[in-house]
Amino acid sequence: MTDATRYPLPDLNTLPDDLKAKILEVQEKAGFVPNVFLALARRPAEWRAFFAYHDALMTPETAGRSSGLTKGEREMIVTATSAANHCLYCVVAHGAILRIYEKKPLVADQVAVNHRKADIPPRQRAMLDFAMKVCLASHEIDDADFEALAAHGFNDEDAWDIAAITAFFGLSNRMASFSGMMPNPEFYLMGRVPKQK
Amino acid sequence: MTDATRYPLPDLNTLPDDLKAKILEVQEKAGFVPNVFLALARRPAEWRAFFAYHDALMTPETAGRSSGLTKGEREMIVTATSAANHCLYCVVAHGAILRIYEKKPLVADQVAVNHRKADIPPRQRAMLDFAMKVCLASHEIDDADFEALAAHGFNDEDAWDIAAITAFFGLSNRMASFSGMMPNPEFYLMGRVPKQK
Amino acid sequence: MTDATRYPLPDLNTLPDDLKAKILEVQEKAGFVPNVFLALARRPAEWRAFFAYHDALMTPETAGRSSGLTKGEREMIVTATSAANHCLYCVVAHGAILRIYEKKPLVADQVAVNHRKADIPPRQRAMLDFAMKVCLASHEIDDADFEALAAHGFNDEDAWDIAAITAFFGLSNRMASFSGMMPNPEFYLMGRVPKQK
Amino acid sequence: MTDATRYPLPDLNTLPDDLKAKILEVQEKAGFVPNVFLALARRPAEWRAFFAYHDALMTPETAGRSSGLTKGEREMIVTATSAANHCLYCVVAHGAILRIYEKKPLVADQVAVNHRKADIPPRQRAMLDFAMKVCLASHEIDDADFEALAAHGFNDEDAWDIAAITAFFGLSNRMASFSGMMPNPEFYLMGRVPKQK
Amino acid sequence: MTDATRYPLPDLNTLPDDLKAKILEVQEKAGFVPNVFLALARRPAEWRAFFAYHDALMTPETAGRSSGLTKGEREMIVTATSAANHCLYCVVAHGAILRIYEKKPLVADQVAVNHRKADIPPRQRAMLDFAMKVCLASHEIDDADFEALAAHGFNDEDAWDIAAITAFFGLSNRMASFSGMMPNPEFYLMGRVPKQK
Amino acid sequence: MTDATRYPLPDLNTLPDDLKAKILEVQEKAGFVPNVFLALARRPAEWRAFFAYHDALMTPETAGRSSGLTKGEREMIVTATSAANHCLYCVVAHGAILRIYEKKPLVADQVAVNHRKADIPPRQRAMLDFAMKVCLASHEIDDADFEALAAHGFNDEDAWDIAAITAFFGLSNRMASFSGMMPNPEFYLMGRVPKQK
């Protein structure tokens, strides 16, 4: 395990204003600061690019683009990819968001352990099959893989979304694992307990 | 092979002004437009994030940061990573830049086929060993890997550089392979023939 | 995914008396019948051997034997092994028991994604390293592996426990995955929420 | 290689009466005591469960069940599984039994080296293909695998037999390899020389 | 990297006459002595067998045999095989010859990085798919692989050529890598620059 | 399985005189014609090179060279290599010769299943470790591997022998597997039964 003190989290007040503002906004919304926001902030230029890329893919509407994937489907790709890459931070953090978006408290654990056994429709199974091939053997992708997607209604823009999310979180997974980033304890339980009225 | 017409390159004149300006600048400098600039431009928000990330890592001085790695070493990591991911575009394009920066016409082919046999000093061998572990088994990185780097004078900031470049080009490799991006013919010969006076 | 109706769960009342008695006892204690008890019950002779083996390893005191591993450590081995084998049923069910025994709501997810990053002491890390080698490359186990265990106080009887639990759940994982066994929904949340007083 | 004296074989006379009785019965029939009977006997509760499971699968008639697999086919699965797991004890011991049951002196070596080249009918080839997938990638088993079996007349009960034998001997293989269990010299030649009249 | 002085190249004048004559002939034709001719010459009997085998496969007309593969196709198989085996000497040396025979300055780099993306016709893609299976999983070759070749006009003699070239250069690759054989600098640029008139 | 009639064995009388003479000599000595002699004879030029190479490595005294490896050790390398490549013909045929040369009826099966468990001295274990690395990852061989050999008295010429035998039989294995070559039944029993006086 990477020594936890190798890349200490910076103090929020030492960060550039734009990072600080965005982080406070996230804290306001989530109730805590997910560690990735602080861990990457030690290098502001990389931080800005990372989250700009993240937002372009995960909240395409902010970039004036619509996507054929739902928010939950995008998080499902992240969870499956992160499990394939054995990235603790991303499986736990994005598994939480997946549960919330899909309103399915069990789906994140299922996708993380074996997406083939998850309780998801064939469309999402095909989506994850494509993502896993991009994750593990992108050089073997060929037209047959696009056709398998098309059989479930995914067009080439959707394929780009799936591939790009998989590729981006492959980057994220490697950064988190190499640097010893640990998920905030809050993530583990999020979306597991139905809200009471 | 992915159908070459699946993601056609956009016409430069249809692109947003900032993309167009940067692309023309690259063309001015290189003499041609590397395909990655057009291939990713079909999604401007992703394009902007991609190249911002690229520049933060590959030209850190533009972000007001110095790096313990030389420009040639950074391209060496890209070439080795791209070969491990079997990415044709990136091996050819960045191999060319590697040859130019290192002023070694043979090094790119050596690193791409087997970095263990490349004619490079032990320091660069250790750098590539670390990069390959981040590329192929990031979840197994531990303190011993950092110590192996330190034995060659790489500190934790250098390790971050190596890991981040490897992770970023793992993203780039997957995008290029999945979308069928082909290297411009110009790259293949660059840096191979010593300039005559 | 294996067709869920291929191996339907038998009706409890059609089972032999000894199976029925044990299953009712488990139901009494757990509040529900874990699916493995019904899924394997369609073959009573195999059922009896499976649970006899399970009990000999997991509750050695019932066989008049003490073990150098704690109950929590035994479940930790099961969770890591089942994740390596991508067995949804066992990761979810035994991850739940692991959380309860260790009184650590986060440990099961950590061990399942990447035991090297789990918040566990070096002794348990060494235990899981040995288990993973038995799981994935048992033919390469040699004296050095036993010595690595001994450095953390595990003797040869403890090594046998680790290996046997890993081997037994490798069997269990294959049965669950091949037959499409799904974890009961109850398991997913168990041990995650601290009990209120 | 695991130190041969790490888990010494117990003296037969120190074993519980039921183990002793069964072992003497085996010795009477085989002419010698296969090492697995002594090696596992150091833990009587595990021994009893192991052989109960073994008998439930390998001699189903003793459990009042008939099987769609012949005795030779069951041993063929054991031999192929044990070779895939590189388990010396089980390849040698069960290869011997396979030769005897199938009355084919060459088949065990063929199945152990490459079952695709073995001189066996297509039905047994399909059986071993299914076994190998359970052995090596059980999480990827899906309906297509059952259909491939069905094309050769194997129903879902037969599939269960194949999977369970594969899974059980995966357990056996790991125990034998980890503990350094060596096959008795007698096994190597059994079934190779046609009996003379 | 293997110590470069472990197997020093012998002096040409110390070699047996037949080796010397052949090497001078090659030097006359190529303008330099490819290192493989000297590296293997330290063992003349092996040298003679190696080049006799090489010629039987690569210049079949010298053995009174015609081949369904062109000279360029044979070198294409060598380049792909050598890349799969990470053999620096053979990728560089035979990539050069491939460029010359095929009169395609880009094809060697393409085939070495990812033959699926190379700018080659479907027939050559099928040829390389077969070669890669012989290279990486020869025990899994079956009739379907021959049928895939036949669909592109390759008969069983052509299949033998593909397999034998792949197998022979697997031998060559291992010898070059193990002994630290380095490609002559001349090879890197050969066939890359179109000849001027 | 490759169709057995794809590459039929040629009639001995149709072969060139030198092949015929050598084959009759082998038949005289062995009592039968090992299939490899006929299977490869359909291409006389390749046949001659194959057996010249074979003899240069396996009977170096015929080439006026002595070797630091015994005849049995050379066959042990062949058996381990062929098992790693899942080559039925070579495991069975060379396993037979190994038993005879080493006068150890059990050693071939042990080496084929798991050389780490074979009843061989540490020197031969080190020899096979080196061979397995040449067989499976020749590009990763480095000075440490030669040093591990040297610790057991193997010099660089011995290392060459080990590597060359491994490489040559990797070629042989691929040819046998791809073409569906089957071992003669006579091999299976050779060297297993001690001769009676």
Side-chain angles (χ1 to χ4, degrees), chain E residues 3 6-7 42-43 46 49 134-135 143 146 156-157 160-161 174, chain F residues 3 6-7 42-43 46 49 53 134-135 143 146 156-157 160-161 174:
Chain E
D3 186 328
R6 195 176 290 280
Y7 300 108
R42 54 200 306 286
R43 291 204 174 177
E46 296 172 28
V134 171
C135 182
D143 285 341
F146 287 90
D156 288 351
E157 288 305 310
W160 183 288
D161 274 359
R174 283 168 177 80
Chain F
D3 187 327
R6 196 175 291 279
Y7 299 109
R42 55 199 305 287
R43 292 203 172 178
E46 296 171 30
Y53 217 142
V134 172
C135 181
D143 285 341
F146 287 90
D156 288 352
E157 288 306 309
W160 183 288
D161 274 358
R174 283 169 178 79

mmCIF file of all heavy atoms in Angstrom, chain E residues 3 6-7 42-43 46 49 134-135 143 146 156-157 160-161 174, chain F residues 3 6-7 42-43 46 49 53 134-135 143 146 156-157 160-161 174:
data_model
loop_
_atom_site.group_PDB
_atom_site.id
_atom_site.type_symbol
_atom_site.label_atom_id
_atom_site.label_comp_id
_atom_site.label_asym_id
_atom_site.label_seq_id
_atom_site.Cartn_x
_atom_site.Cartn_y
_atom_site.Cartn_z
ATOM 1 N N ASP E 3 23.748 -8.563 -20.366
ATOM 2 C CA ASP E 3 25.056 -7.931 -20.523
ATOM 3 C C ASP E 3 25.551 -8.127 -21.957
ATOM 4 O O ASP E 3 25.662 -9.237 -22.461
ATOM 5 C CB ASP E 3 26.026 -8.588 -19.531
ATOM 6 C CG ASP E 3 27.369 -7.894 -19.515
ATOM 7 O OD1 ASP E 3 27.788 -7.376 -20.560
ATOM 8 O OD2 ASP E 3 27.994 -7.859 -18.451
ATOM 9 N N ARG E 6 28.248 -10.667 -22.857
ATOM 10 C CA ARG E 6 28.104 -12.067 -22.456
ATOM 11 C C ARG E 6 28.384 -13.006 -23.635
ATOM 12 O O ARG E 6 29.027 -14.044 -23.478
ATOM 13 C CB ARG E 6 26.697 -12.287 -21.909
ATOM 14 C CG ARG E 6 26.546 -13.573 -21.135
ATOM 15 C CD ARG E 6 25.162 -13.700 -20.530
ATOM 16 N NE ARG E 6 24.886 -12.783 -19.445
ATOM 17 C CZ ARG E 6 25.304 -12.971 -18.176
ATOM 18 N NH1 ARG E 6 26.004 -14.038 -17.867
ATOM 19 N NH2 ARG E 6 24.989 -12.089 -17.261
ATOM 20 N N TYR E 7 27.836 -12.652 -24.770
ATOM 21 C CA TYR E 7 28.061 -13.468 -25.971
ATOM 22 C C TYR E 7 28.655 -12.573 -27.062
ATOM 23 O O TYR E 7 27.936 -12.141 -27.964
ATOM 24 C CB TYR E 7 26.749 -14.098 -26.446
ATOM 25 C CG TYR E 7 26.106 -15.003 -25.431
ATOM 26 C CD1 TYR E 7 24.944 -14.624 -24.758
ATOM 27 C CD2 TYR E 7 26.656 -16.258 -25.139
ATOM 28 C CE1 TYR E 7 24.352 -15.466 -23.825
ATOM 29 C CE2 TYR E 7 26.072 -17.103 -24.199
ATOM 30 C CZ TYR E 7 24.920 -16.703 -23.551
ATOM 31 O OH TYR E 7 24.341 -17.535 -22.629
ATOM 32 N N ARG E 42 28.960 -18.301 -33.506
ATOM 33 C CA ARG E 42 29.804 -18.903 -32.470
ATOM 34 C C ARG E 42 29.517 -20.397 -32.294
ATOM 35 O O ARG E 42 30.250 -21.117 -31.645
ATOM 36 C CB ARG E 42 29.664 -18.158 -31.149
ATOM 37 C CG ARG E 42 28.253 -18.028 -30.663
ATOM 38 C CD ARG E 42 28.116 -16.896 -29.651
ATOM 39 N NE ARG E 42 29.036 -17.027 -28.558
ATOM 40 C CZ ARG E 42 28.868 -17.924 -27.600
ATOM 41 N NH1 ARG E 42 27.862 -18.768 -27.621
ATOM 42 N NH2 ARG E 42 29.737 -17.983 -26.626
ATOM 43 N N ARG E 43 28.428 -20.843 -32.861
ATOM 44 C CA ARG E 43 28.140 -22.277 -32.866
ATOM 45 C C ARG E 43 27.810 -22.673 -34.312
ATOM 46 O O ARG E 43 26.629 -22.632 -34.717
ATOM 47 C CB ARG E 43 26.967 -22.585 -31.953
ATOM 48 C CG ARG E 43 27.294 -22.391 -30.471
ATOM 49 C CD ARG E 43 26.378 -23.220 -29.629
ATOM 50 N NE ARG E 43 26.724 -23.191 -28.227
ATOM 51 C CZ ARG E 43 26.012 -23.798 -27.296
ATOM 52 N NH1 ARG E 43 24.910 -24.448 -27.638
ATOM 53 N NH2 ARG E 43 26.389 -23.749 -26.047
ATOM 54 N N GLU E 46 24.788 -25.024 -35.297
ATOM 55 C CA GLU E 46 23.479 -24.395 -35.120
ATOM 56 C C GLU E 46 23.256 -23.322 -36.195
ATOM 57 O O GLU E 46 22.152 -23.170 -36.717
ATOM 58 C CB GLU E 46 23.360 -23.806 -33.704
ATOM 59 C CG GLU E 46 23.428 -24.896 -32.633
ATOM 60 C CD GLU E 46 23.513 -24.365 -31.203
ATOM 61 O OE1 GLU E 46 23.009 -23.262 -30.933
ATOM 62 O OE2 GLU E 46 24.107 -25.069 -30.353
ATOM 63 N N ALA E 49 22.156 -24.939 -39.450
ATOM 64 C CA ALA E 49 20.767 -25.405 -39.406
ATOM 65 C C ALA E 49 19.794 -24.226 -39.415
ATOM 66 O O ALA E 49 18.763 -24.255 -40.087
ATOM 67 C CB ALA E 49 20.556 -26.264 -38.154
ATOM 68 N N VAL E 134 -1.054 -19.125 -33.893
ATOM 69 C CA VAL E 134 0.052 -20.090 -33.818
ATOM 70 C C VAL E 134 1.103 -19.588 -32.825
ATOM 71 O O VAL E 134 1.653 -20.358 -32.035
ATOM 72 C CB VAL E 134 0.690 -20.297 -35.208
ATOM 73 C CG1 VAL E 134 1.968 -21.126 -35.099
ATOM 74 C CG2 VAL E 134 -0.303 -20.984 -36.150
ATOM 75 N N CYS E 135 1.339 -18.296 -32.845
ATOM 76 C CA CYS E 135 2.363 -17.706 -31.972
ATOM 77 C C CYS E 135 1.978 -17.805 -30.499
ATOM 78 O O CYS E 135 2.797 -18.147 -29.655
ATOM 79 C CB CYS E 135 2.557 -16.236 -32.365
ATOM 80 S SG CYS E 135 3.820 -15.362 -31.427
ATOM 81 N N ASP E 143 -10.037 -26.593 -36.807
ATOM 82 C CA ASP E 143 -10.460 -26.495 -38.213
ATOM 83 C C ASP E 143 -11.041 -25.132 -38.553
ATOM 84 O O ASP E 143 -10.890 -24.655 -39.683
ATOM 85 C CB ASP E 143 -11.461 -27.607 -38.536
ATOM 86 C CG ASP E 143 -10.769 -28.955 -38.683
ATOM 87 O OD1 ASP E 143 -9.542 -28.979 -38.886
ATOM 88 O OD2 ASP E 143 -11.454 -29.981 -38.595
ATOM 89 N N PHE E 146 -8.451 -22.880 -40.013
ATOM 90 C CA PHE E 146 -8.106 -23.169 -41.418
ATOM 91 C C PHE E 146 -9.210 -22.666 -42.349
ATOM 92 O O PHE E 146 -8.934 -22.184 -43.446
ATOM 93 C CB PHE E 146 -7.902 -24.675 -41.612
ATOM 94 C CG PHE E 146 -6.629 -25.203 -41.015
ATOM 95 C CD1 PHE E 146 -6.590 -25.661 -39.710
ATOM 96 C CD2 PHE E 146 -5.453 -25.232 -41.755
ATOM 97 C CE1 PHE E 146 -5.417 -26.147 -39.146
ATOM 98 C CE2 PHE E 146 -4.273 -25.717 -41.208
ATOM 99 C CZ PHE E 146 -4.244 -26.174 -39.893
ATOM 100 N N ASP E 156 -4.077 -25.359 -47.581
ATOM 101 C CA ASP E 156 -3.368 -25.953 -46.442
ATOM 102 C C ASP E 156 -1.850 -25.814 -46.563
ATOM 103 O O ASP E 156 -1.141 -25.778 -45.542
ATOM 104 C CB ASP E 156 -3.755 -27.428 -46.282
ATOM 105 C CG ASP E 156 -5.175 -27.584 -45.767
ATOM 106 O OD1 ASP E 156 -5.789 -26.568 -45.376
ATOM 107 O OD2 ASP E 156 -5.691 -28.722 -45.754
ATOM 108 N N GLU E 157 -1.344 -25.741 -47.783
ATOM 109 C CA GLU E 157 0.104 -25.492 -47.929
ATOM 110 C C GLU E 157 0.447 -24.060 -47.490
ATOM 111 O O GLU E 157 1.478 -23.822 -46.855
ATOM 112 C CB GLU E 157 0.548 -25.705 -49.383
ATOM 113 C CG GLU E 157 0.566 -27.162 -49.814
ATOM 114 C CD GLU E 157 1.404 -28.041 -48.896
ATOM 115 O OE1 GLU E 157 2.560 -27.695 -48.614
ATOM 116 O OE2 GLU E 157 0.869 -29.063 -48.430
ATOM 117 N N TRP E 160 0.496 -24.030 -43.790
ATOM 118 C CA TRP E 160 1.781 -24.574 -43.302
ATOM 119 C C TRP E 160 2.858 -23.496 -43.357
ATOM 120 O O TRP E 160 3.635 -23.319 -42.408
ATOM 121 C CB TRP E 160 2.175 -25.785 -44.146
ATOM 122 C CG TRP E 160 3.430 -26.480 -43.714
ATOM 123 C CD1 TRP E 160 4.708 -26.034 -43.850
ATOM 124 C CD2 TRP E 160 3.516 -27.757 -43.061
ATOM 125 N NE1 TRP E 160 5.584 -26.959 -43.335
ATOM 126 C CE2 TRP E 160 4.900 -28.023 -42.844
ATOM 127 C CE3 TRP E 160 2.581 -28.710 -42.654
ATOM 128 C CZ2 TRP E 160 5.339 -29.199 -42.241
ATOM 129 C CZ3 TRP E 160 3.026 -29.877 -42.051
ATOM 130 C CH2 TRP E 160 4.381 -30.122 -41.851
ATOM 131 N N ASP E 161 2.914 -22.770 -44.465
ATOM 132 C CA ASP E 161 3.895 -21.674 -44.578
ATOM 133 C C ASP E 161 3.737 -20.655 -43.447
ATOM 134 O O ASP E 161 4.719 -20.267 -42.805
ATOM 135 C CB ASP E 161 3.721 -20.939 -45.915
ATOM 136 C CG ASP E 161 4.497 -21.603 -47.054
ATOM 137 O OD1 ASP E 161 5.180 -22.614 -46.803
ATOM 138 O OD2 ASP E 161 4.404 -21.113 -48.195
ATOM 139 N N ARG E 174 13.418 -15.805 -29.499
ATOM 140 C CA ARG E 174 13.904 -16.199 -28.169
ATOM 141 C C ARG E 174 15.435 -16.180 -28.119
ATOM 142 O O ARG E 174 16.025 -15.762 -27.131
ATOM 143 C CB ARG E 174 13.335 -17.573 -27.800
ATOM 144 C CG ARG E 174 11.869 -17.474 -27.357
ATOM 145 C CD ARG E 174 11.156 -18.808 -27.257
ATOM 146 N NE ARG E 174 9.787 -18.617 -26.766
ATOM 147 C CZ ARG E 174 8.774 -18.208 -27.550
ATOM 148 N NH1 ARG E 174 8.961 -17.961 -28.830
ATOM 149 N NH2 ARG E 174 7.565 -18.050 -27.017
ATOM 150 N N ASP F 3 -8.192 -31.422 -38.322
ATOM 151 C CA ASP F 3 -8.595 -32.603 -39.087
ATOM 152 C C ASP F 3 -7.366 -33.461 -39.374
ATOM 153 O O ASP F 3 -6.386 -33.013 -39.959
ATOM 154 C CB ASP F 3 -9.246 -32.127 -40.391
ATOM 155 C CG ASP F 3 -9.835 -33.280 -41.163
ATOM 156 O OD1 ASP F 3 -9.285 -34.395 -41.102
ATOM 157 O OD2 ASP F 3 -10.855 -33.066 -41.823
ATOM 158 N N ARG F 6 -5.702 -33.589 -42.794
ATOM 159 C CA ARG F 6 -5.272 -32.349 -43.444
ATOM 160 C C ARG F 6 -3.830 -32.458 -43.959
ATOM 161 O O ARG F 6 -3.529 -31.993 -45.049
ATOM 162 C CB ARG F 6 -5.397 -31.187 -42.463
ATOM 163 C CG ARG F 6 -5.354 -29.826 -43.118
ATOM 164 C CD ARG F 6 -5.593 -28.712 -42.115
ATOM 165 N NE ARG F 6 -6.948 -28.652 -41.597
ATOM 166 C CZ ARG F 6 -7.968 -28.093 -42.233
ATOM 167 N NH1 ARG F 6 -7.800 -27.567 -43.425
ATOM 168 N NH2 ARG F 6 -9.166 -28.070 -41.692
ATOM 169 N N TYR F 7 -2.993 -33.014 -43.157
ATOM 170 C CA TYR F 7 -1.592 -33.197 -43.556
ATOM 171 C C TYR F 7 -1.228 -34.679 -43.429
ATOM 172 O O TYR F 7 -0.575 -35.078 -42.469
ATOM 173 C CB TYR F 7 -0.679 -32.344 -42.686
ATOM 174 C CG TYR F 7 -0.938 -30.856 -42.781
ATOM 175 C CD1 TYR F 7 -1.513 -30.158 -41.729
ATOM 176 C CD2 TYR F 7 -0.619 -30.152 -43.952
ATOM 177 C CE1 TYR F 7 -1.762 -28.789 -41.826
ATOM 178 C CE2 TYR F 7 -0.870 -28.786 -44.051
ATOM 179 C CZ TYR F 7 -1.434 -28.113 -42.987
ATOM 180 O OH TYR F 7 -1.679 -26.767 -43.079
ATOM 181 N N ARG F 42 7.096 -34.264 -45.584
ATOM 182 C CA ARG F 42 6.402 -33.751 -46.765
ATOM 183 C C ARG F 42 7.074 -32.498 -47.309
ATOM 184 O O ARG F 42 6.768 -32.056 -48.412
ATOM 185 C CB ARG F 42 4.930 -33.519 -46.463
ATOM 186 C CG ARG F 42 4.667 -32.642 -45.294
ATOM 187 C CD ARG F 42 3.250 -32.823 -44.766
ATOM 188 N NE ARG F 42 2.267 -32.619 -45.784
ATOM 189 C CZ ARG F 42 1.951 -31.429 -46.281
ATOM 190 N NH1 ARG F 42 2.583 -30.356 -45.843
ATOM 191 N NH2 ARG F 42 1.040 -31.306 -47.203
ATOM 192 N N ARG F 43 7.957 -31.928 -46.564
ATOM 193 C CA ARG F 43 8.769 -30.811 -47.050
ATOM 194 C C ARG F 43 10.233 -31.120 -46.738
ATOM 195 O O ARG F 43 10.739 -30.768 -45.648
ATOM 196 C CB ARG F 43 8.345 -29.511 -46.361
ATOM 197 C CG ARG F 43 6.942 -29.057 -46.774
ATOM 198 C CD ARG F 43 6.802 -27.587 -46.536
ATOM 199 N NE ARG F 43 5.566 -27.045 -47.062
ATOM 200 C CZ ARG F 43 5.210 -25.777 -46.938
ATOM 201 N NH1 ARG F 43 6.002 -24.930 -46.296
ATOM 202 N NH2 ARG F 43 4.075 -25.344 -47.452
ATOM 203 N N GLU F 46 12.743 -28.448 -45.266
ATOM 204 C CA GLU F 46 12.492 -28.105 -43.860
ATOM 205 C C GLU F 46 12.868 -29.279 -42.946
ATOM 206 O O GLU F 46 13.405 -29.085 -41.854
ATOM 207 C CB GLU F 46 11.014 -27.707 -43.688
ATOM 208 C CG GLU F 46 10.665 -26.445 -44.482
ATOM 209 C CD GLU F 46 9.171 -26.116 -44.522
ATOM 210 O OE1 GLU F 46 8.452 -26.447 -43.579
ATOM 211 O OE2 GLU F 46 8.736 -25.516 -45.539
ATOM 212 N N ALA F 49 16.628 -29.299 -42.321
ATOM 213 C CA ALA F 49 17.048 -28.239 -41.410
ATOM 214 C C ALA F 49 16.589 -28.535 -39.987
ATOM 215 O O ALA F 49 17.328 -28.333 -39.015
ATOM 216 C CB ALA F 49 16.476 -26.898 -41.877
ATOM 217 N N TYR F 53 19.195 -29.095 -36.957
ATOM 218 C CA TYR F 53 19.139 -28.232 -35.757
ATOM 219 C C TYR F 53 18.961 -29.091 -34.505
ATOM 220 O O TYR F 53 19.631 -28.906 -33.480
ATOM 221 C CB TYR F 53 17.967 -27.260 -35.888
ATOM 222 C CG TYR F 53 18.225 -25.870 -35.323
ATOM 223 C CD1 TYR F 53 17.715 -24.746 -35.970
ATOM 224 C CD2 TYR F 53 18.954 -25.679 -34.155
ATOM 225 C CE1 TYR F 53 17.939 -23.470 -35.476
ATOM 226 C CE2 TYR F 53 19.173 -24.403 -33.650
ATOM 227 C CZ TYR F 53 18.667 -23.313 -34.316
ATOM 228 O OH TYR F 53 18.881 -22.053 -33.819
ATOM 229 N N VAL F 134 12.564 -18.357 -20.697
ATOM 230 C CA VAL F 134 12.817 -18.230 -22.139
ATOM 231 C C VAL F 134 11.559 -18.600 -22.919
ATOM 232 O O VAL F 134 11.203 -17.965 -23.911
ATOM 233 C CB VAL F 134 13.999 -19.131 -22.561
ATOM 234 C CG1 VAL F 134 14.133 -19.164 -24.081
ATOM 235 C CG2 VAL F 134 15.297 -18.638 -21.923
ATOM 236 N N CYS F 135 10.867 -19.612 -22.451
ATOM 237 C CA CYS F 135 9.665 -20.093 -23.149
ATOM 238 C C CYS F 135 8.535 -19.071 -23.105
ATOM 239 O O CYS F 135 7.869 -18.829 -24.108
ATOM 240 C CB CYS F 135 9.212 -21.402 -22.490
ATOM 241 S SG CYS F 135 7.771 -22.167 -23.237
ATOM 242 N N ASP F 143 20.281 -10.115 -16.535
ATOM 243 C CA ASP F 143 21.467 -10.690 -15.911
ATOM 244 C C ASP F 143 21.154 -11.503 -14.659
ATOM 245 O O ASP F 143 21.840 -12.487 -14.364
ATOM 246 C CB ASP F 143 22.476 -9.579 -15.585
ATOM 247 C CG ASP F 143 23.193 -9.089 -16.840
ATOM 248 O OD1 ASP F 143 23.192 -9.824 -17.852
ATOM 249 O OD2 ASP F 143 23.763 -7.991 -16.816
ATOM 250 N N PHE F 146 20.810 -15.126 -15.435
ATOM 251 C CA PHE F 146 22.078 -15.831 -15.648
ATOM 252 C C PHE F 146 22.772 -16.094 -14.308
ATOM 253 O O PHE F 146 23.407 -17.126 -14.117
ATOM 254 C CB PHE F 146 22.998 -15.007 -16.567
ATOM 255 C CG PHE F 146 22.570 -14.991 -18.007
ATOM 256 C CD1 PHE F 146 21.697 -14.021 -18.485
ATOM 257 C CD2 PHE F 146 23.027 -15.963 -18.887
ATOM 258 C CE1 PHE F 146 21.300 -14.009 -19.821
ATOM 259 C CE2 PHE F 146 22.633 -15.957 -20.223
ATOM 260 C CZ PHE F 146 21.762 -14.981 -20.692
ATOM 261 N N ASP F 156 27.770 -19.601 -19.176
ATOM 262 C CA ASP F 156 27.004 -18.982 -20.260
ATOM 263 C C ASP F 156 26.792 -19.924 -21.440
ATOM 264 O O ASP F 156 25.809 -19.788 -22.182
ATOM 265 C CB ASP F 156 27.703 -17.690 -20.720
ATOM 266 C CG ASP F 156 27.556 -16.575 -19.688
ATOM 267 O OD1 ASP F 156 26.810 -16.756 -18.709
ATOM 268 O OD2 ASP F 156 28.193 -15.519 -19.861
ATOM 269 N N GLU F 157 27.702 -20.866 -21.636
ATOM 270 C CA GLU F 157 27.473 -21.864 -22.701
ATOM 271 C C GLU F 157 26.317 -22.781 -22.329
ATOM 272 O O GLU F 157 25.496 -23.145 -23.175
ATOM 273 C CB GLU F 157 28.745 -22.693 -22.949
ATOM 274 C CG GLU F 157 29.857 -21.931 -23.642
ATOM 275 C CD GLU F 157 29.403 -21.297 -24.944
ATOM 276 O OE1 GLU F 157 28.812 -21.997 -25.793
ATOM 277 O OE2 GLU F 157 29.621 -20.071 -25.109
ATOM 278 N N TRP F 160 23.176 -20.939 -22.934
ATOM 279 C CA TRP F 160 22.846 -20.975 -24.369
ATOM 280 C C TRP F 160 22.158 -22.305 -24.717
ATOM 281 O O TRP F 160 21.151 -22.335 -25.433
ATOM 282 C CB TRP F 160 24.113 -20.785 -25.196
ATOM 283 C CG TRP F 160 23.915 -20.736 -26.675
ATOM 284 C CD1 TRP F 160 23.587 -21.773 -27.505
ATOM 285 C CD2 TRP F 160 24.018 -19.570 -27.521
ATOM 286 N NE1 TRP F 160 23.496 -21.330 -28.799
ATOM 287 C CE2 TRP F 160 23.757 -19.998 -28.847
ATOM 288 C CE3 TRP F 160 24.338 -18.230 -27.284
ATOM 289 C CZ2 TRP F 160 23.793 -19.112 -29.939
ATOM 290 C CZ3 TRP F 160 24.365 -17.349 -28.374
ATOM 291 C CH2 TRP F 160 24.094 -17.790 -29.676
ATOM 292 N N ASP F 161 22.704 -23.389 -24.207
ATOM 293 C CA ASP F 161 22.083 -24.696 -24.455
ATOM 294 C C ASP F 161 20.633 -24.725 -23.979
ATOM 295 O O ASP F 161 19.739 -25.160 -24.701
ATOM 296 C CB ASP F 161 22.859 -25.806 -23.709
ATOM 297 C CG ASP F 161 24.038 -26.332 -24.510
ATOM 298 O OD1 ASP F 161 24.250 -25.883 -25.652
ATOM 299 O OD2 ASP F 161 24.761 -27.205 -23.994
ATOM 300 N N ARG F 174 4.880 -25.836 -31.859
ATOM 301 C CA ARG F 174 3.889 -25.131 -32.688
ATOM 302 C C ARG F 174 3.588 -25.919 -33.964
ATOM 303 O O ARG F 174 2.465 -26.002 -34.415
ATOM 304 C CB ARG F 174 4.389 -23.715 -32.980
ATOM 305 C CG ARG F 174 4.196 -22.791 -31.777
ATOM 306 C CD ARG F 174 4.895 -21.460 -31.891
ATOM 307 N NE ARG F 174 4.615 -20.645 -30.708
ATOM 308 C CZ ARG F 174 5.218 -20.782 -29.529
ATOM 309 N NH1 ARG F 174 6.140 -21.702 -29.351
ATOM 310 N NH2 ARG F 174 4.872 -19.993 -28.512
#
